[in-house]
Amino acid sequence: MSMNNNYNSIKPLGASSSGYQHPQIAPGQYPLSQAHAIVQAQFQAQLQAHGLSFTPNAKRFPPKPPVHTATPLKQTEPVLGPRRKKPRQNEKQLPEKASAILPQSALYTQLLDVEARVDAALTRKKVDIQEAMRNPPCIQKTLRIFVFNTFANQSGDSSAPTWTLKIVGRILEDGEEAEQPGVLAHRMPPLYPKFSAFFKRVTISLDKRLYPDNNVITWENSRSSATHEGFEVKRKGDKEFSAQIRLEMNYVPEKFMLSPVLREVLGIQVDTRARIVSAIWHYVKARKLQNQNDPSYFHCDQALQKVFGEDKVRFSMVSQKISQHLFPPQVILLEHMIKLSGNSPVGSACYDVMVDVPFPIQRELNALVANVERNKEIDACDESICGIIRKIHEHRRRRAFYIGFSQSPLEFIKALVESQNKDLKVLLGESGHSAEKERKSDFFKQPWVEDAIVRYLNRKPAAGSNAPGST
């Protein structure tokens, strides 16, 4: 560790107030080692005259760890440390001093209290709505599926004959009468998901003899980024045939078909895993099968023994053990005859399927949460209020400045200059440095002076220099 920067400029040691004069040796008069010894001898004699002692061959101890006190002779450079973060003041609050100057601000403070209560109520309601939307309630509705086909140019015109198979559907409202089949005016109401959202996979198989290259058409929900109002297949052809349609429902959350054994116990055909486990718990509770000594287990009656194959089952293992009794839901198989004569469109069949749809108020709740989160008009008002509050802060500081100056100009300016002088010293890192104390000889009779002199004289002299410790 180098100490050159700390003691290179110990200028007060040459001050005339202590009566000490630095020993002078003409360059080239003595060899370097002999000159060094002469300087140490003269310097020791003058130290003894001032009541100080110096041992040149004393053992040097390793430097002590730094203490959190400022060294008087250490020259520090101005270093700006990280600013201490102050607690952020509410920008919409008026300071107490400004409130005392403006009596009308009491009404504004009351309005802030009302606003805080309204914001707290809205936040609570928002949390409740978001919690409800995580598990949105669903209701069962009837999905009516229409299957029909159209055709064109089947009379032998110059254009190629074509036909189009269409699969569409809509949600029936409660009490709604059945529609006439083959009518195209059956779009899904805007409150419900589009038709394709209810299916995981749709497969249409054509006659392989008529269409050997591409007789199977498959659509998968996982590969489609958007939902659609229906499905449509268009091909060239003038021969009638039967098309097979396979519909796999898309249940969210996933539903399973129960095995006959489990279906006999619960009376459920298709449901989600969570509701099946809940039904088993209610079955156990209703028949008081829970173990009294260890509530984590339940006993199996004759019906449950057929399901689990054990006399006693742990509740935490129910979801795992019923996996062998859960199967994918049964697919919907439809058959449609592609007819190319008569009136177009052709088709008189419709099919009803029970599906789960989100509660109609779900979208309204989403819109309400979005409006609460971001309201541009309220944000603009808040920004305007904060700007006015900042102006009030500025005018209050100016008013306090001029009032203090008017009451006692001399004392005010004196205190202002002193305060700025302290801030400048702190900024430059000179808060522990006092030039007034360093002018007196008592300053250099402190315990740290001897150690500083030893360090100064025992530095290795630079090459080509005759003075000890010179650089």
Side-chain angles (χ1 to χ4, degrees), residues 92 375-388:
K92 296 172 65 176
N375 193 315
K376 295 182 179 180
E377 185 178 355
I378 294 179
D379 292 343
C381 292
D382 286 342
E383 186 63 28
S384 176
I385 291 174
C386 291
I388 295 174

Side-chain angles (χ1 to χ4, degrees), residues 213-255:
D213 296 335
N214 189 13
N215 70 308
V216 178
I217 302 99
T218 303
W219 174 89
E220 294 185 0
N221 195 345
S222 60
R223 297 183 179 181
S224 178
S225 58
T227 54
H228 310 282
E229 296 288 352
F231 303 100
E232 182 178 296
V233 176
K234 187 175 182 179
R235 290 288 186 274
K236 293 179 181 181
D238 57 355
K239 302 216 173 168
E240 298 182 353
F241 65 95
S242 177
Q244 307 294 329
I245 303 172
R246 178 188 175 96
L247 304 176
E248 298 181 30
M249 302 301 296
N250 182 30
Y251 295 109
V252 180
E254 187 178 5
K255 288 189 176 182

Side-chain angles (χ1 to χ4, degrees), residues 24-91:
Q24 301 292 330
I25 299 177
Q29 184 176 359
Y30 299 98
L32 181 60
S33 57
Q34 186 178 358
H36 194 181
I38 295 174
V39 170
Q40 286 185 350
Q42 295 177 358
F43 185 72
Q44 184 177 7
Q46 295 188 12
L47 285 177
Q48 291 176 356
H50 288 80
L52 298 175
S53 62
F54 170 63
T55 306
N57 297 325
K59 184 179 180 181
R60 294 184 63 184
F61 295 96
K64 298 179 181 180
V67 188
H68 296 287
T69 55
T71 304
L73 293 180
K74 185 177 181 179
Q75 295 181 351
T76 58
E77 297 180 357
V79 178
L80 297 179
R83 280 191 175 183
R84 185 179 180 182
K85 292 184 178 181
K86 296 182 179 180
R88 184 178 179 183
Q89 185 182 8
N90 191 349
E91 295 182 355

Side-chain angles (χ1 to χ4, degrees), residues 110 133 146 193 243 264 317 356 368 448 457:
Q110 295 177 5
M133 288 191 300
F146 297 88
E264 183 181 354
M317 299 297 295
D356 294 332
L368 176 61
W448 57 267
L457 292 177

Side-chain angles (χ1 to χ4, degrees), residues 451-467:
D451 183 56
I453 295 173
V454 172
R455 291 174 180 270
Y456 176 72
L457 292 177
N458 283 280
R459 284 179 304 161
K460 183 178 180 180
S465 175
N466 293 330

Side-chain angles (χ1 to χ4, degrees), residues 144-322:
R144 177 155 293 177
I145 304 173
F146 297 88
V147 182
F148 58 95
N149 73 277
T150 61
F151 55 87
N153 305 322
Q154 297 293 329
S155 58
D157 297 339
S158 59
S159 301
T162 60
W163 56 265
T164 303
L165 174 64
K166 295 185 178 182
I167 306 172
V168 294
R170 59 161 298 177
I171 296 292
L172 296 182
E173 297 294 344
D174 297 335
E176 185 176 355
E177 296 182 357
E179 298 182 19
Q180 295 182 356
V183 180
L184 297 178
H186 41 253
R187 289 185 175 275
M188 195 75 67
L191 294 178
Y192 302 119
K194 291 185 178 180
F195 178 70
S196 66
F198 295 101
F199 301 98
K200 182 190 298 183
R201 186 180 294 104
V202 177
T203 306
I204 301 174
S205 300
L206 307 179
D207 193 337
K208 191 173 183 179
R209 293 172 299 176
L210 299 176
Y211 304 94
D213 296 335
N214 189 13
N215 70 308
V216 178
I217 302 99
T218 303
W219 174 89
E220 294 185 0
N221 195 345
S222 60
R223 297 183 179 181
S224 178
S225 58
T227 54
H228 310 282
E229 296 288 352
F231 303 100
E232 182 178 296
V233 176
K234 187 175 182 179
R235 290 288 186 274
K236 293 179 181 181
D238 57 355
K239 302 216 173 168
E240 298 182 353
F241 65 95
S242 177
Q244 307 294 329
I245 303 172
R246 178 188 175 96
L247 304 176
E248 298 181 30
M249 302 301 296
N250 182 30
Y251 295 109
V252 180
E254 187 178 5
K255 288 189 176 182
F256 301 90
M257 184 175 63
L258 280 68
S259 66
V261 176
L262 188 58
R263 190 185 314 161
E264 183 181 354
V265 176
L266 303 179
I268 301 174
Q269 291 187 354
V270 178
D271 213 331
T272 63
R273 182 184 291 268
R275 291 177 63 87
I276 294 171
V277 173
S278 178
I280 294 176
W281 159 245
H282 286 295
Y283 180 90
V284 171
K285 187 177 180 181
R287 286 161 177 74
K288 298 180 180 180
L289 299 177
Q290 189 172 8
N291 193 332
Q292 300 295 330
N293 298 327
D294 189 357
S296 62
Y297 284 87
F298 64 90
H299 298 285
C300 296
D301 57 7
Q302 187 176 0
L304 288 179
Q305 285 181 2
K306 296 179 180 180
V307 176
F308 299 108
E310 300 178 9
D311 296 334
K312 187 173 65 172
V313 178
R314 182 188 290 270
F315 276 109
S316 59
M317 299 297 295
V318 170
S319 179
Q320 179 180 349
K321 288 181 176 295
I322 64 174

